[in-house]
Amino acid sequence: MNTPVKRRRYAVGNWKMNGTSRDLNQIARIGQAAKERNALTVLCLPSTLLDRARGHGVWLGGQDCHEHERGAHTGDVSAEMLTDSGATHVILGHSERRVLHGECNATVARKARSAWDVGLIVIICIGETEAQFRSGITLDILHAQIAGSVPPGASPANTIIAYEPVWSIGTGLTPGPRDIASIHKSIRSVLKTGLGREDFSILYGGSLTADNAAGIFALPDVDGGLVGGASLSADDFLPVMRAVSQQGECA
Ligand code: PGA
């Protein structure tokens, strides 16, 4: 029987294909603020910035990794390359990877195993499209994504789940609070049934801003956020980090 651990709250920034050395000062400001807060802050940066972002007081993550350890995969980055550059976390199965790079659940699961092999904590993204949301099949989609892309062996120590409705990413739209709360509750119960643990950190992602973060993070079963656009500057991200840490410890 697994001993339940206290869930941890996270503010995770996903910089996507943004950021050069000019932005290191933003990372320094975010890192300084992270030291003063009790929420865990992770910045998932372009691989080119990881090494230079070390030592700023913020946990670092990649945005994808290859499923193999090494080899003839031009342009790809292995999990070990990420740890070697200072990463402790990696986002896997983001909808932009699933849609624009044709990644399926099985690929995400293989990537998760390869990330675990080098000690990375994986942040596995799941989420439905707008059409699926409107058709009322959100939970079916999410349950299938969990079954297919979160491999056996996932535990709160090596895996974080991020619920990101595809139609919410970068659009300014979010599901209503009742939907977010009931979807997160359902994700937690599916994780318990499938993996025997319900103490995973489950993040919400999609159009989080300083204005809506506190309300969303206060919902039950929401353990923080995965933030795209609003993580690119310290001015925008600091209020989101503050909203996570204001929630205190998880129940
Ligand atoms: P957004 O992106 O916050 O810009 O909507 C979130 C994400 O894609 O992780």
Side-chain angles (χ1 to χ4, degrees):
M1 173 106 164
N2 292 313
T3 318
V5 294
K6 258 205 171 331
R7 279 155 32 208
R8 308 181 93 172
R9 292 194 193 276
Y10 287 88
V12 182
N14 173 12
W15 276 27
K16 309 192 181 186
M17 197 172 71
N18 298 289
T20 64
S21 44
R22 282 192 298 276
D23 302 293
L24 288 170
N25 63 333
Q26 300 298 328
I27 297 168
R29 282 184 60 204
I30 290 168
Q32 187 56 39
K35 286 184 206 154
E36 293 155 14
R37 314 218 162 270
N38 58 20
L40 292 167
T41 302
V42 185
L43 281 182
C44 296
L45 300 172
S47 313
T48 47
L49 272 187
L50 283 173
D51 191 45
R52 280 175 292 164
R54 288 184 207 236
H56 284 305
V58 69
W59 298 96
L60 299 174
Q63 301 171 9
D64 176 49
C65 68
H66 199 274
E67 64 192 74
H68 292 136
E69 279 174 53
R70 65 181 64 79
H73 300 285
T74 303
D76 280 319
V77 172
S78 73
E80 190 190 9
M81 290 169 184
L82 293 178
T83 56
D84 186 51
S85 304
T88 48
H89 294 67
V90 61
I91 295 173
L92 295 176
H94 190 282
S95 63
E96 287 151 18
R97 300 291 315 176
R98 291 179 187 264
V99 174
L100 301 174
H101 295 262
E103 289 189 8
C104 62
N105 287 328
T107 308
V108 178
R110 285 194 295 274
K111 290 182 172 196
R113 287 200 194 87
S114 114
W116 289 342
D117 281 348
V118 297
L120 285 170
I121 297 172
V122 301
I123 303 168
I124 297 183
C125 300
I126 55 174
E128 81 289 357
T129 63
E130 183 169 16
Q132 291 162 341
F133 182 77
R134 285 188 191 283
S135 324
I137 57 169
T138 296
L139 295 182
D140 300 328
I141 299 295
L142 299 179
H143 296 177
Q145 287 176 335
I146 292 170
S149 53
V150 185
S155 77
N158 63 21
T159 303
I160 296 165
I161 303 295
Y163 166 55
E164 295 207 310
V166 179
W167 53 275
S168 177
I169 294 173
T171 59
L173 303 171
T174 64
R178 278 202 199 167
D179 282 328
I180 295 178
S182 71
I183 289 167
H184 275 240
K185 186 175 177 200
S186 167
I187 292 170
R188 193 172 301 291
S189 105
V190 167
L191 291 169
K192 184 174 185 195
T193 310
L195 296 158
R197 301 283 296 249
E198 60 181 341
D199 44 359
F200 285 88
S201 294
I202 304 175
L203 314 184
Y204 170 80
S207 292
L208 281 167
T209 63
D211 294 335
N212 62 17
I216 291 176
F217 297 156
L219 296 169
D221 291 307
V222 177
D223 304 318
L226 178 54
V227 187
S231 70
L232 293 174
S233 79
D235 284 347
D236 291 335
F237 196 42
L238 262 50
V240 179
M241 290 163 61
R242 199 172 306 126
V244 176
S245 49
Q246 271 166 357
Q247 293 304 317
E249 294 206 351
C250 291

